[in-house]
Amino acid sequence: MTDFYETFKKSQVVLPVIHVENKKQALWNAETAKKAGADGVFLISMRGMGSEGLLEIQREVKKEFSTWWVGVNLLGESTVRVFNKLDDNVSGLWTDNAQINEWSKKQFEADSIKLAKEKSGWNGLYFGGVAFKYQRQVDNLALAAQIASQYVDVITTSGEGTGLAPDYGKIAAIKASVGNFPVAIASGISPENVTTYKDVANCYLVATSLLVPGTENFDYSKVSDLVQAVKG
C-alpha cells in the first residue's frame, strides 16, 4: 500500500476537485489551485465524459505540473478494471465505494479490487469510499473503517449529499477506530468549517464551496482561504 504521509510529507492535505469540462478549463483550474497553495487536485467529469477522455486531460495537467499531485475519479467505471487504465502519472484514484461489507467475514469485492491493484503495478494512492453519499447504509461505522484500512490507502467519506458537510461524530467515530490511518472528507467542506474537522480528518476533497457561482471554475481567493485555514 502507498503511504499517504510519505507522499505528502504532512498530515493535513487540501485537494480541490476540478469538475472537468475540457482541457483548457481543467488546466486553468489546476493552475489556480496550485497558485493558491493546494497540495494537488482530483479531476472528475460530471457531464458524461468517458474515462479515456478524462485520463487524457489528466495526462495534460500532469505534463504541465509534473511534480504536483494529480488524481482522478472515473465515475461509472468498475474499480477492478480501472487499474489497468492507470499509469504512474496518475497520482491517485478516488472511488465512491470501496465495496467494504462490515457484516461479512469475507470481503470478496474488496479482495478483487486489491488483487487488481497489485497486478496492475500502479503505485498511486487509492482513496476508497466508506459510508459515502448515495451508497448503501453502513450499520457499523467503526468496523467498516477498520476493515477498509486493510484495503485502501485513504478512507474517504462524505456527508449525506453533494455540498453537505458530514456529521462531526461520524468522522470522529471513523478516526477513533483507525487511529493514525488517513481519513479524507469529500463533501461539504469550506474555508469556514474545515477547522472543525482538523482533529479527526487528514485530507479535504473540495469543489462546491470553492467555485465561482454559476460556473465550474475555482475562485482563487476561496481556494487560498481554505488552504490557509487548514495550514493555520
Side-chain angles (χ1 to χ4, degrees), residues 7-228:
T7 297
F8 290 108
K9 312 298 184 186
K10 58 177 68 174
S11 62
Q12 292 286 303
V13 172
V14 176
L15 300 175
V17 179
I18 300 174
H19 292 169
V20 175
E21 297 181 315
N22 53 60
K23 182 177 75 172
K24 181 179 180 180
Q25 179 256 1
L27 285 166
W28 186 91
N29 278 284
E31 182 177 15
T32 299
K34 193 172 191 303
K35 285 183 176 180
D39 299 291
V41 288
F42 265 110
L43 307 185
I44 188 171
S45 172
M46 310 293 286
R47 298 186 178 182
M49 181 183 294
S51 61
E52 297 303 329
L54 188 63
L55 286 170
E56 178 60 33
I57 291 175
Q58 190 277 340
R59 284 189 284 271
E60 292 295 324
V61 173
K62 186 66 174 178
K63 181 179 178 181
E64 185 71 19
F65 307 101
S66 60
T67 62
W68 205 38
W69 198 96
V70 184
V72 294
N73 184 331
L74 302 177
L75 289 173
E77 285 281 350
S78 162
T79 308
V80 169
R81 292 194 293 269
V82 79
F83 289 111
N84 287 328
K85 298 185 177 184
L86 307 181
D87 58 34
D88 288 341
N89 286 317
V90 179
S91 307
L93 175 69
W94 158 28
T95 68
D96 292 357
N97 191 341
Q99 303 295 341
I100 303 300
N101 296 312
E102 74 279 8
W103 42 261
S104 176
K105 292 182 179 180
K106 297 288 186 178
Q107 300 296 314
F108 295 106
E109 292 175 294
D111 280 329
S112 295
I113 293 170
K114 184 176 182 179
L115 180 61
K117 182 176 184 292
E118 292 171 351
K119 284 185 174 181
S120 74
W122 179 71
N123 61 2
L125 284 172
Y126 173 32
F127 286 65
V130 177
F132 208 84
K133 60 186 180 182
Y134 314 129
Q135 306 297 317
R136 75 164 183 86
Q137 178 69 37
V138 172
D139 297 320
N140 188 326
L141 192 60
L143 181 57
Q146 290 167 9
I147 295 171
S149 68
Q150 303 171 46
Y151 290 94
V152 307
D153 299 313
V154 184
I155 293 172
T156 307
T157 193
S158 72
E160 294 184 358
T162 300
L164 299 180
D167 177 72
Y168 174 86
K170 173 184 177 179
I171 311 303
I174 291 174
K175 194 64 173 174
S177 70
V178 297
N180 196 48
F181 196 86
V183 174
I185 300 175
S187 79
I189 294 299
S190 68
E192 293 74 30
N193 71 9
V194 68
T195 57
T196 301
Y197 301 96
K198 285 175 63 177
D199 63 330
V200 292
N202 306 100
C203 187
Y204 311 97
L205 283 54
V206 190
T208 304
S209 70
L210 304 181
L211 300 178
V212 175
T215 78
E216 297 291 3
N217 296 319
F218 294 143
D219 180 322
Y220 172 86
S221 64
K222 293 179 180 179
V223 181
S224 179
D225 286 347
L226 177 65
V227 170
Q228 294 305 314

